[in-house]
Structure formats: structure tokens, C-alpha cells
Amino acid sequence: MMTHTRFAFVKAQWHADIVDRAFEGFTQTIPVSQVDVFDVPGAFEMPLMARDLAACGRYHAVVCAAFVVDGGIYRHDFVAQSVVDGLMRAGLETGIPVLSVSLTPHHYQDTDHHNTIYRAHFITKGQEAAAAALGILKAREGLQAKAA
């Protein structure tokens, strides 16, 4: 990876104590110096921010992290699907990879046990997002080399 490669990392602030662990995992592979962090209120705000970041020309990939849980009032599966669809659209519209670390557990309970599990899981998902970001950049470089 070239040192001038830049990444944007968008974090939803709902359950920030869990979501922030994804950034921790991501920066175990990608140096912090190559990552700009952007906080948004919640998952629903991520696609717009991702599109704007991808379109600005500064970033080689945008990673978005959120934890969408059943709040008892709204359908969390609807929110999660809308977010993932929006992130995919942002990448397709801009030509910049937009990666999702958006998790939607079926049975989340705000207990120490569940929170410990999900904090650890978000570290792993952040590591996987870093590998995916590097992998898609390498694949696209290979495509450009073959097309030239």
C-alpha cells in the first residue's frame, strides 16, 4: 500500500462504545496517519456522508461502521437494509469503494455480557474491513494495469 493512500472512516454514534472498536480493529492494519475519522449521529446518516466523502476526491476508500439494534419503536431491519443499500449506491455512483461494518443483531440486550461480545466482534469486523479495503484497491489496480 502506498503511503499517500487515504481512507475515510465514518462512525455512527449510537452505541459508540461498541462501534468505535471497529476503528480500533481497522487501524491494526491501516496506519492511523492514513485515516480521517468522521462521526455521524446514527447509521441512517452514513450513506450521505459516505457519498460526499467518496465524491470529494481525497479518499481511496470509505469505511462506515454502525450498530443497528431493535429500539422497540422502529423496525431496525428496515433501517439496516436502507443503510446498506445507500452505502452500496454511494460506491457505485462515485466509483470509490464504500465498505460497511454495519451490524444488526437479532437479539441484542444491553448487558455487560452482550456488550463485551459485540465490542470484540467489532474489532474483528474492523480488521476484516481493512483487509477488504486493501483487497479491493489491489484488485482495481490490477484491472487498471490490464486495461492499459
Side-chain angles (χ1 to χ4, degrees):
M1 180 179 61
M2 295 180 283
T3 57
H4 65 276
T5 303
R6 298 226 40 93
F7 300 88
F9 199 101
V10 180
K11 300 185 285 113
Q13 292 302 286
W14 281 93
H15 299 281
D17 58 317
I18 294 172
V19 174
D20 288 353
R21 302 291 74 79
F23 180 72
E24 186 179 315
F26 188 79
T27 56
Q28 289 175 0
T29 300
I30 308 285
V32 174
S33 63
Q34 292 178 235
V35 185
D36 293 333
V37 178
F38 301 87
D39 291 332
V40 294
F44 206 74
E45 292 78 23
M46 290 192 316
L48 180 62
M49 179 64 88
R51 190 215 49 203
D52 292 348
L53 290 166
C56 80
R58 177 170 169 81
Y59 302 105
H60 294 80
V62 178
V63 179
C64 297
F67 191 49
V68 182
V69 299
D70 186 353
I73 297 171
Y74 64 91
R75 294 281 308 269
H76 70 295
D77 51 343
F78 171 78
V79 172
Q81 187 64 55
S82 297
V83 168
V84 171
D85 287 348
L87 294 176
M88 178 62 71
R89 235 180 359 265
L92 292 173
E93 288 174 7
T94 62
I96 299 296
V98 176
L99 304 163
S100 175
V101 182
S102 300
L103 300 184
T104 309
H106 286 290
H107 302 291
Y108 169 74
Q109 296 172 354
D110 192 4
T111 63
D112 288 341
H113 176 70
H114 271 205
N115 290 336
T116 298
I117 290 169
Y118 285 109
R119 280 187 196 103
H121 191 58
F122 264 79
I123 290 172
T124 300
K125 298 309 286 182
Q127 293 166 339
E128 291 172 355
L134 295 175
I136 190 63
L137 292 179
K138 183 177 180 181
R140 294 183 89 199
E141 285 175 3
L143 175 64
Q144 288 174 349
K146 288 181 178 166

PDB file of all heavy atoms in Angstrom, residues 84-110:
ATOM      1  N   VAL A  84     -27.415  -0.112   4.223  1.00  0.00           N
ATOM      2  CA  VAL A  84     -26.533  -0.909   3.361  1.00  0.00           C
ATOM      3  C   VAL A  84     -26.810  -0.599   1.890  1.00  0.00           C
ATOM      4  O   VAL A  84     -25.876  -0.456   1.100  1.00  0.00           O
ATOM      5  CB  VAL A  84     -26.683  -2.412   3.679  1.00  0.00           C
ATOM      6  CG1 VAL A  84     -25.947  -3.272   2.661  1.00  0.00           C
ATOM      7  CG2 VAL A  84     -26.140  -2.704   5.076  1.00  0.00           C
ATOM      8  N   ASP A  85     -28.075  -0.452   1.525  1.00  0.00           N
ATOM      9  CA  ASP A  85     -28.409  -0.083   0.141  1.00  0.00           C
ATOM     10  C   ASP A  85     -27.814   1.286  -0.200  1.00  0.00           C
ATOM     11  O   ASP A  85     -27.265   1.483  -1.287  1.00  0.00           O
ATOM     12  CB  ASP A  85     -29.924  -0.040  -0.064  1.00  0.00           C
ATOM     13  CG  ASP A  85     -30.564  -1.419  -0.098  1.00  0.00           C
ATOM     14  OD1 ASP A  85     -29.829  -2.419  -0.191  1.00  0.00           O
ATOM     15  OD2 ASP A  85     -31.810  -1.475  -0.020  1.00  0.00           O
ATOM     16  N   GLY A  86     -27.920   2.243   0.719  1.00  0.00           N
ATOM     17  CA  GLY A  86     -27.382   3.571   0.487  1.00  0.00           C
ATOM     18  C   GLY A  86     -25.871   3.579   0.349  1.00  0.00           C
ATOM     19  O   GLY A  86     -25.310   4.291  -0.484  1.00  0.00           O
ATOM     20  N   LEU A  87     -25.199   2.774   1.164  1.00  0.00           N
ATOM     21  CA  LEU A  87     -23.739   2.682   1.079  1.00  0.00           C
ATOM     22  C   LEU A  87     -23.317   2.077  -0.260  1.00  0.00           C
ATOM     23  O   LEU A  87     -22.363   2.549  -0.889  1.00  0.00           O
ATOM     24  CB  LEU A  87     -23.177   1.875   2.246  1.00  0.00           C
ATOM     25  CG  LEU A  87     -23.348   2.495   3.629  1.00  0.00           C
ATOM     26  CD1 LEU A  87     -22.829   1.549   4.700  1.00  0.00           C
ATOM     27  CD2 LEU A  87     -22.689   3.857   3.728  1.00  0.00           C
ATOM     28  N   MET A  88     -24.015   1.059  -0.695  1.00  0.00           N
ATOM     29  CA  MET A  88     -23.714   0.440  -1.981  1.00  0.00           C
ATOM     30  C   MET A  88     -23.911   1.449  -3.112  1.00  0.00           C
ATOM     31  O   MET A  88     -23.072   1.572  -4.005  1.00  0.00           O
ATOM     32  CB  MET A  88     -24.604  -0.786  -2.215  1.00  0.00           C
ATOM     33  CG  MET A  88     -24.375  -1.467  -3.554  1.00  0.00           C
ATOM     34  SD  MET A  88     -22.707  -2.125  -3.769  1.00  0.00           S
ATOM     35  CE  MET A  88     -22.758  -3.502  -2.634  1.00  0.00           C
ATOM     36  N   ARG A  89     -24.997   2.199  -3.049  1.00  0.00           N
ATOM     37  CA  ARG A  89     -25.265   3.212  -4.068  1.00  0.00           C
ATOM     38  C   ARG A  89     -24.174   4.280  -4.081  1.00  0.00           C
ATOM     39  O   ARG A  89     -23.760   4.726  -5.146  1.00  0.00           O
ATOM     40  CB  ARG A  89     -26.641   3.849  -3.816  1.00  0.00           C
ATOM     41  CG  ARG A  89     -27.558   3.772  -4.982  1.00  0.00           C
ATOM     42  CD  ARG A  89     -28.933   4.362  -4.830  1.00  0.00           C
ATOM     43  NE  ARG A  89     -29.325   4.954  -3.569  1.00  0.00           N
ATOM     44  CZ  ARG A  89     -29.990   4.316  -2.614  1.00  0.00           C
ATOM     45  NH1 ARG A  89     -30.318   3.049  -2.758  1.00  0.00           N
ATOM     46  NH2 ARG A  89     -30.325   4.948  -1.517  1.00  0.00           N
ATOM     47  N   ALA A  90     -23.714   4.692  -2.904  1.00  0.00           N
ATOM     48  CA  ALA A  90     -22.660   5.715  -2.823  1.00  0.00           C
ATOM     49  C   ALA A  90     -21.398   5.243  -3.549  1.00  0.00           C
ATOM     50  O   ALA A  90     -20.766   6.007  -4.273  1.00  0.00           O
ATOM     51  CB  ALA A  90     -22.353   6.050  -1.366  1.00  0.00           C
ATOM     52  N   GLY A  91     -21.037   3.994  -3.358  1.00  0.00           N
ATOM     53  CA  GLY A  91     -19.864   3.460  -4.038  1.00  0.00           C
ATOM     54  C   GLY A  91     -20.054   3.348  -5.536  1.00  0.00           C
ATOM     55  O   GLY A  91     -19.168   3.692  -6.319  1.00  0.00           O
ATOM     56  N   LEU A  92     -21.221   2.890  -5.950  1.00  0.00           N
ATOM     57  CA  LEU A  92     -21.484   2.744  -7.382  1.00  0.00           C
ATOM     58  C   LEU A  92     -21.555   4.097  -8.075  1.00  0.00           C
ATOM     59  O   LEU A  92     -21.087   4.237  -9.202  1.00  0.00           O
ATOM     60  CB  LEU A  92     -22.782   1.959  -7.596  1.00  0.00           C
ATOM     61  CG  LEU A  92     -22.721   0.486  -7.183  1.00  0.00           C
ATOM     62  CD1 LEU A  92     -24.113  -0.146  -7.277  1.00  0.00           C
ATOM     63  CD2 LEU A  92     -21.725  -0.281  -8.027  1.00  0.00           C
ATOM     64  N   GLU A  93     -22.138   5.083  -7.418  1.00  0.00           N
ATOM     65  CA  GLU A  93     -22.270   6.412  -8.025  1.00  0.00           C
ATOM     66  C   GLU A  93     -20.933   7.135  -8.157  1.00  0.00           C
ATOM     67  O   GLU A  93     -20.726   7.894  -9.096  1.00  0.00           O
ATOM     68  CB  GLU A  93     -23.228   7.284  -7.206  1.00  0.00           C
ATOM     69  CG  GLU A  93     -24.677   6.887  -7.330  1.00  0.00           C
ATOM     70  CD  GLU A  93     -25.582   7.682  -6.391  1.00  0.00           C
ATOM     71  OE1 GLU A  93     -25.110   8.639  -5.730  1.00  0.00           O
ATOM     72  OE2 GLU A  93     -26.775   7.330  -6.317  1.00  0.00           O
ATOM     73  N   THR A  94     -20.025   6.905  -7.206  1.00  0.00           N
ATOM     74  CA  THR A  94     -18.765   7.658  -7.187  1.00  0.00           C
ATOM     75  C   THR A  94     -17.593   6.876  -7.760  1.00  0.00           C
ATOM     76  O   THR A  94     -16.573   7.472  -8.100  1.00  0.00           O
ATOM     77  CB  THR A  94     -18.414   8.075  -5.750  1.00  0.00           C
ATOM     78  OG1 THR A  94     -18.227   6.893  -4.952  1.00  0.00           O
ATOM     79  CG2 THR A  94     -19.490   8.969  -5.149  1.00  0.00           C
ATOM     80  N   GLY A  95     -17.706   5.558  -7.827  1.00  0.00           N
ATOM     81  CA  GLY A  95     -16.585   4.740  -8.273  1.00  0.00           C
ATOM     82  C   GLY A  95     -15.524   4.543  -7.201  1.00  0.00           C
ATOM     83  O   GLY A  95     -14.449   4.019  -7.487  1.00  0.00           O
ATOM     84  N   ILE A  96     -15.819   4.936  -5.974  1.00  0.00           N
ATOM     85  CA  ILE A  96     -14.903   4.750  -4.846  1.00  0.00           C
ATOM     86  C   ILE A  96     -15.476   3.646  -3.955  1.00  0.00           C
ATOM     87  O   ILE A  96     -16.672   3.674  -3.630  1.00  0.00           O
ATOM     88  CB  ILE A  96     -14.762   6.063  -4.026  1.00  0.00           C
ATOM     89  CG1 ILE A  96     -14.183   7.173  -4.897  1.00  0.00           C
ATOM     90  CG2 ILE A  96     -13.927   5.848  -2.764  1.00  0.00           C
ATOM     91  CD1 ILE A  96     -12.770   6.930  -5.387  1.00  0.00           C
ATOM     92  N   PRO A  97     -14.658   2.681  -3.539  1.00  0.00           N
ATOM     93  CA  PRO A  97     -15.183   1.625  -2.672  1.00  0.00           C
ATOM     94  C   PRO A  97     -15.740   2.193  -1.363  1.00  0.00           C
ATOM     95  O   PRO A  97     -15.089   2.984  -0.685  1.00  0.00           O
ATOM     96  CB  PRO A  97     -13.960   0.747  -2.396  1.00  0.00           C
ATOM     97  CG  PRO A  97     -13.028   1.020  -3.535  1.00  0.00           C
ATOM     98  CD  PRO A  97     -13.252   2.459  -3.896  1.00  0.00           C
ATOM     99  N   VAL A  98     -16.961   1.797  -1.046  1.00  0.00           N
ATOM    100  CA  VAL A  98     -17.597   2.141   0.223  1.00  0.00           C
ATOM    101  C   VAL A  98     -17.907   0.825   0.921  1.00  0.00           C
ATOM    102  O   VAL A  98     -18.683   0.018   0.424  1.00  0.00           O
ATOM    103  CB  VAL A  98     -18.879   2.977   0.015  1.00  0.00           C
ATOM    104  CG1 VAL A  98     -19.568   3.232   1.349  1.00  0.00           C
ATOM    105  CG2 VAL A  98     -18.552   4.301  -0.682  1.00  0.00           C
ATOM    106  N   LEU A  99     -17.258   0.624   2.043  1.00  0.00           N
ATOM    107  CA  LEU A  99     -17.355  -0.644   2.768  1.00  0.00           C
ATOM    108  C   LEU A  99     -18.192  -0.479   4.029  1.00  0.00           C
ATOM    109  O   LEU A  99     -18.137   0.559   4.686  1.00  0.00           O
ATOM    110  CB  LEU A  99     -15.959  -1.140   3.118  1.00  0.00           C
ATOM    111  CG  LEU A  99     -15.037  -1.287   1.906  1.00  0.00           C
ATOM    112  CD1 LEU A  99     -13.593  -1.381   2.337  1.00  0.00           C
ATOM    113  CD2 LEU A  99     -15.442  -2.491   1.102  1.00  0.00           C
ATOM    114  N   SER A 100     -18.935  -1.517   4.377  1.00  0.00           N
ATOM    115  CA  SER A 100     -19.832  -1.460   5.522  1.00  0.00           C
ATOM    116  C   SER A 100     -19.386  -2.378   6.648  1.00  0.00           C
ATOM    117  O   SER A 100     -19.092  -3.546   6.429  1.00  0.00           O
ATOM    118  CB  SER A 100     -21.249  -1.865   5.088  1.00  0.00           C
ATOM    119  OG  SER A 100     -22.107  -1.936   6.210  1.00  0.00           O
ATOM    120  N   VAL A 101     -19.338  -1.807   7.836  1.00  0.00           N
ATOM    121  CA  VAL A 101     -19.191  -2.577   9.073  1.00  0.00           C
ATOM    122  C   VAL A 101     -20.457  -2.265   9.871  1.00  0.00           C
ATOM    123  O   VAL A 101     -20.420  -1.722  10.956  1.00  0.00           O
ATOM    124  CB  VAL A 101     -17.923  -2.167   9.862  1.00  0.00           C
ATOM    125  CG1 VAL A 101     -17.768  -3.028  11.110  1.00  0.00           C
ATOM    126  CG2 VAL A 101     -16.685  -2.262   8.993  1.00  0.00           C
ATOM    127  N   SER A 102     -21.598  -2.554   9.268  1.00  0.00           N
ATOM    128  CA  SER A 102     -22.890  -2.278   9.892  1.00  0.00           C
ATOM    129  C   SER A 102     -23.489  -3.589  10.351  1.00  0.00           C
ATOM    130  O   SER A 102     -23.863  -4.426   9.531  1.00  0.00           O
ATOM    131  CB  SER A 102     -23.822  -1.592   8.894  1.00  0.00           C
ATOM    132  OG  SER A 102     -23.260  -0.385   8.459  1.00  0.00           O
ATOM    133  N   LEU A 103     -23.572  -3.749  11.644  1.00  0.00           N
ATOM    134  CA  LEU A 103     -24.080  -4.997  12.198  1.00  0.00           C
ATOM    135  C   LEU A 103     -25.472  -4.788  12.782  1.00  0.00           C
ATOM    136  O   LEU A 103     -25.757  -3.767  13.403  1.00  0.00           O
ATOM    137  CB  LEU A 103     -23.140  -5.525  13.275  1.00  0.00           C
ATOM    138  CG  LEU A 103     -21.712  -5.817  12.817  1.00  0.00           C
ATOM    139  CD1 LEU A 103     -20.911  -6.426  13.953  1.00  0.00           C
ATOM    140  CD2 LEU A 103     -21.707  -6.752  11.621  1.00  0.00           C
ATOM    141  N   THR A 104     -26.322  -5.793  12.582  1.00  0.00           N
ATOM    142  CA  THR A 104     -27.703  -5.749  13.042  1.00  0.00           C
ATOM    143  C   THR A 104     -28.038  -7.073  13.720  1.00  0.00           C
ATOM    144  O   THR A 104     -28.550  -7.986  13.077  1.00  0.00           O
ATOM    145  CB  THR A 104     -28.651  -5.541  11.841  1.00  0.00           C
ATOM    146  OG1 THR A 104     -28.185  -4.430  11.087  1.00  0.00           O
ATOM    147  CG2 THR A 104     -30.059  -5.267  12.296  1.00  0.00           C
ATOM    148  N   PRO A 105     -27.749  -7.184  15.009  1.00  0.00           N
ATOM    149  CA  PRO A 105     -28.040  -8.458  15.685  1.00  0.00           C
ATOM    150  C   PRO A 105     -29.547  -8.655  15.859  1.00  0.00           C
ATOM    151  O   PRO A 105     -30.303  -7.696  16.005  1.00  0.00           O
ATOM    152  CB  PRO A 105     -27.351  -8.295  17.037  1.00  0.00           C
ATOM    153  CG  PRO A 105     -27.307  -6.824  17.269  1.00  0.00           C
ATOM    154  CD  PRO A 105     -27.165  -6.202  15.913  1.00  0.00           C
ATOM    155  N   HIS A 106     -29.958  -9.900  15.828  1.00  0.00           N
ATOM    156  CA  HIS A 106     -31.378 -10.224  16.016  1.00  0.00           C
ATOM    157  C   HIS A 106     -31.810 -10.064  17.466  1.00  0.00           C
ATOM    158  O   HIS A 106     -32.915  -9.631  17.741  1.00  0.00           O
ATOM    159  CB  HIS A 106     -31.675 -11.654  15.550  1.00  0.00           C
ATOM    160  CG  HIS A 106     -31.682 -11.785  14.070  1.00  0.00           C
ATOM    161  ND1 HIS A 106     -32.668 -11.248  13.281  1.00  0.00           N
ATOM    162  CD2 HIS A 106     -30.809 -12.375  13.225  1.00  0.00           C
ATOM    163  CE1 HIS A 106     -32.419 -11.501  12.019  1.00  0.00           C
ATOM    164  NE2 HIS A 106     -31.290 -12.189  11.954  1.00  0.00           N
ATOM    165  N   HIS A 107     -30.931 -10.426  18.380  1.00  0.00           N
ATOM    166  CA  HIS A 107     -31.320 -10.433  19.792  1.00  0.00           C
ATOM    167  C   HIS A 107     -30.269  -9.746  20.648  1.00  0.00           C
ATOM    168  O   HIS A 107     -29.558 -10.390  21.413  1.00  0.00           O
ATOM    169  CB  HIS A 107     -31.527 -11.868  20.275  1.00  0.00           C
ATOM    170  CG  HIS A 107     -32.568 -12.604  19.493  1.00  0.00           C
ATOM    171  ND1 HIS A 107     -33.905 -12.291  19.564  1.00  0.00           N
ATOM    172  CD2 HIS A 107     -32.470 -13.611  18.606  1.00  0.00           C
ATOM    173  CE1 HIS A 107     -34.584 -13.077  18.760  1.00  0.00           C
ATOM    174  NE2 HIS A 107     -33.735 -13.889  18.163  1.00  0.00           N
ATOM    175  N   TYR A 108     -30.165  -8.441  20.526  1.00  0.00           N
ATOM    176  CA  TYR A 108     -29.221  -7.682  21.343  1.00  0.00           C
ATOM    177  C   TYR A 108     -29.883  -7.268  22.645  1.00  0.00           C
ATOM    178  O   TYR A 108     -31.027  -6.814  22.664  1.00  0.00           O
ATOM    179  CB  TYR A 108     -28.746  -6.437  20.590  1.00  0.00           C
ATOM    180  CG  TYR A 108     -27.973  -5.473  21.462  1.00  0.00           C
ATOM    181  CD1 TYR A 108     -26.673  -5.762  21.856  1.00  0.00           C
ATOM    182  CD2 TYR A 108     -28.551  -4.299  21.909  1.00  0.00           C
ATOM    183  CE1 TYR A 108     -25.966  -4.890  22.662  1.00  0.00           C
ATOM    184  CE2 TYR A 108     -27.854  -3.416  22.708  1.00  0.00           C
ATOM    185  CZ  TYR A 108     -26.561  -3.720  23.089  1.00  0.00           C
ATOM    186  OH  TYR A 108     -25.861  -2.869  23.888  1.00  0.00           O
ATOM    187  N   GLN A 109     -29.150  -7.444  23.723  1.00  0.00           N
ATOM    188  CA  GLN A 109     -29.584  -6.944  25.031  1.00  0.00           C
ATOM    189  C   GLN A 109     -28.446  -6.108  25.589  1.00  0.00           C
ATOM    190  O   GLN A 109     -27.288  -6.502  25.520  1.00  0.00           O
ATOM    191  CB  GLN A 109     -29.899  -8.099  25.977  1.00  0.00           C
ATOM    192  CG  GLN A 109     -31.069  -8.940  25.513  1.00  0.00           C
ATOM    193  CD  GLN A 109     -31.231 -10.195  26.359  1.00  0.00           C
ATOM    194  OE1 GLN A 109     -30.415 -10.485  27.220  1.00  0.00           O
ATOM    195  NE2 GLN A 109     -32.285 -10.929  26.096  1.00  0.00           N
ATOM    196  N   ASP A 110     -28.785  -4.961  26.149  1.00  0.00           N
ATOM    197  CA  ASP A 110     -27.786  -4.041  26.677  1.00  0.00           C
ATOM    198  C   ASP A 110     -27.298  -4.547  28.038  1.00  0.00           C
ATOM    199  O   ASP A 110     -27.600  -3.990  29.085  1.00  0.00           O
ATOM    200  CB  ASP A 110     -28.368  -2.631  26.799  1.00  0.00           C
ATOM    201  CG  ASP A 110     -27.303  -1.589  27.066  1.00  0.00           C
ATOM    202  OD1 ASP A 110     -26.105  -1.940  27.076  1.00  0.00           O
ATOM    203  OD2 ASP A 110     -27.670  -0.421  27.272  1.00  0.00           O
TER     204      ASP A 110
END
